[in-house]
């Protein structure tokens, strides 16, 4: 078979592990030809391909980023985009496509599958917000990076008797903030799913100062106050219409400084959470997803996504995985609240 593979959306630790697994299993067990598309859907729209043979994947397992490159190109936002994508895939003789991506990339994949392309998706995102899978690869690495930062910030914050606000990624889901904050012993965790009360946040900070330590707050980039809107540093949007988040950390730090009368600083972790080598968990999960995607293709499946349920890799309909975001449920947030203040 001729299997196309692409990586779309924000890069994510573990992408290369999936690519390697698809190539190793596809070629090694089935004699497939693997065609890589450069920069996500852009490569499909422009027939920009690279042959992915065994040599192309040697040594890439521990590497961050993606050897195929990525973009946020959306064929459905372009005139004649979907038709061109389908035509190019046909001309290149692609029998099946394995897109590795989050809600946007897999949203496009869902529609192409409905148009007749054989598609098996692989869920990736540091945000862990894809429905249908317990975890996406990349999330564990991002949480590890954020936790280490929080550990380091505890000691410098305490030494200077100042509040530190750590802004983490996650878009409209608070998974990274919740897990990194819990693992790092944050005094307050703020997530998009639960608009926060500024007075309560200030009280937690004062309580922490009163105990002789300095507060560490973890705030998700999409968190917003109860009686306000998103605090953004830019108004830019990408090809899928997502607004660029960021700015809540700085806004919150100046509010806390004003209300507590003590210095407060914001630390934005940004792309550090996405770059670099994947954790062992993500390497294994990404590898298992890649292997399972090849199995699904050879079983004649289409319109499905490989997913983690407990410790098993299963197949779920792509449409179900991309219909709604997987958000932090209130009971998970309540667990973290026990440690606030
Ligand atoms: O979806 C992954 C993610 O890192 C989000 O957490 C973040 O909001 C977004 O991508 C940032 O995108 P970019 O760095 O491509 O602008």
């Amino acid at each position: 078979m001729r299997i196309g593979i692409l990586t779309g959306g924000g890069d994510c630790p573990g992408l290369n592990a999936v690519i390697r697994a698809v190539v190793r299993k596809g070629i090694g067990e089935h004699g497939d030809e693997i065609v890589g598309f450069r920069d996500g859907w852009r490569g499909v729209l422009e027939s920009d391909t690279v042959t992915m043979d065994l040599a192309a994947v040697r040594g890439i397992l521990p590497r961050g980023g993606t050897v195929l490159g990525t973009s946020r190109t959306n064929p459905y936002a372009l005139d004649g985009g979907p038709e061109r994508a389908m035509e190019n895939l046909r001309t290149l003789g692609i029998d099946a496509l394995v897109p590795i991506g989050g809600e946007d990339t897999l949203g496009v994949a869902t529609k192409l599958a409905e148009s007749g392309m054989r598609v098996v998706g692989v869920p990736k995102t540091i945000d862990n917000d894809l429905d249908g899978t317990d975890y996406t690869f990349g999330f564990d690495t991002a949480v590890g990076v954020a936790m280490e930062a929080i550990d380091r910030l505890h000691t410098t914050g305490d030494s200077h008797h100042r509040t530190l606000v750590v802004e983490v990624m996650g878009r409209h889901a608070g998974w990274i903030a919740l897990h990194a904050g819990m693992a790092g012993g944050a005094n307050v965790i703020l997530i998009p799913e639960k608009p926060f009360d500024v007075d309560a946040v200030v009280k937690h900070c004062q309580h922490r100062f009163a105990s002789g330590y300095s507060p560490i707050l973890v705030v998700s980039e999409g968190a917003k106050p109860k009686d306000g809107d998103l605090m953004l540093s830019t108004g830019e949007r990408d090809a899928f219409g997502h607004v660029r988040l960021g700015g809540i950390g700085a806004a919150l730090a100046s509010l806390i400084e004003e209300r507590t009368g003590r210095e407060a600083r914001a630390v934005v972790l940004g792309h550090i959470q996405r770059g670099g080598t994947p954790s062992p968990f993500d390497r294994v999960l990404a590898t298992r997803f890649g292997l399972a995607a090849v199995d699904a293709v050879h079983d004649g499946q289409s319109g499905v996504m490989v997913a983690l349920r407990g410790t098993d890799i299963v197949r779920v309909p792509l449409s179900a995985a991309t219909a709604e975001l997987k958000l932090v449920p209130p009971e998970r947030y309540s667990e973290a609240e026990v440690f606030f203040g």
Side-chain angles (χ1 to χ4, degrees), residues 31-269:
D32 293 329
E33 270 179 82
I34 313 293
V35 179
F37 288 93
R38 290 199 181 90
D39 301 340
W41 296 114
R42 186 197 67 74
V44 176
L45 288 171
E46 296 174 16
S47 293
D48 187 357
T49 63
V50 53
T51 301
M52 298 303 289
D53 55 15
L54 295 176
V57 297
R58 207 155 279 142
I60 68 171
L61 173 64
R63 268 171 61 187
T66 159
V67 292
L68 288 174
T70 186
S71 73
R72 293 198 189 275
T73 303
N74 178 3
Y76 287 87
L78 302 170
D79 243 4
E83 295 75 17
R84 203 181 338 144
M86 288 297 281
E87 179 56 31
N88 290 351
L89 290 166
R90 255 193 301 270
T91 308
L92 288 163
I94 302 297
D95 300 307
L97 190 62
V98 176
I100 312 167
E103 41 148 353
D104 297 331
T105 305
L106 296 185
V108 172
T110 307
K111 292 186 202 156
L112 290 182
E114 283 161 6
S115 305
M117 185 66 216
R118 191 192 295 185
V119 178
V120 173
V122 175
K124 93 54 251 200
T125 167
I126 62 165
D127 302 340
N128 196 40
D129 59 357
L130 262 178
D131 219 1
T133 183
D134 289 354
Y135 287 101
T136 50
F137 69 86
F139 172 65
D140 183 67
T141 306
V143 168
V145 170
M147 181 202 72
E148 197 198 328
I150 297 164
D151 285 351
R152 290 175 185 279
L153 292 170
H154 272 295
T155 59
T156 172
D158 283 340
S159 305
H160 287 265
H161 318 293
R162 56 164 71 120
T163 302
L164 287 172
V165 180
V166 188
E167 182 181 302
V168 297
M169 283 186 165
R171 204 167 257 165
H172 303 298
W175 291 108
I176 298 178
L178 181 77
H179 280 229
M182 279 183 98
N187 307 112
V188 178
I189 300 169
L190 303 174
I191 62 172
E193 292 86 342
K194 186 162 184 199
F196 59 88
D197 175 23
V198 177
D199 291 337
V201 171
V202 170
K203 243 191 215 136
H204 288 315
C205 292
Q206 285 161 336
H207 180 259
R208 182 72 177 167
F209 277 127
S211 71
Y213 294 94
S214 298
I216 302 271
L217 283 72
V218 176
V219 58
S220 182
E221 60 182 359
K224 47 182 188 284
K226 260 184 188 159
D227 44 5
D229 217 339
L230 282 171
M231 297 174 182
L232 302 171
S233 45
T234 88
E236 281 175 66
R237 284 180 187 272
D238 67 20
F240 287 88
H242 301 296
V243 71
R244 182 175 293 174
L245 297 172
I248 179 70
L252 200 58
S254 70
L255 237 159
I256 291 169
E257 181 166 301
E258 197 184 297
R259 299 274 298 270
T260 61
R262 300 218 199 193
E263 191 184 1
R265 298 278 189 93
V267 178
V268 181
L269 295 185

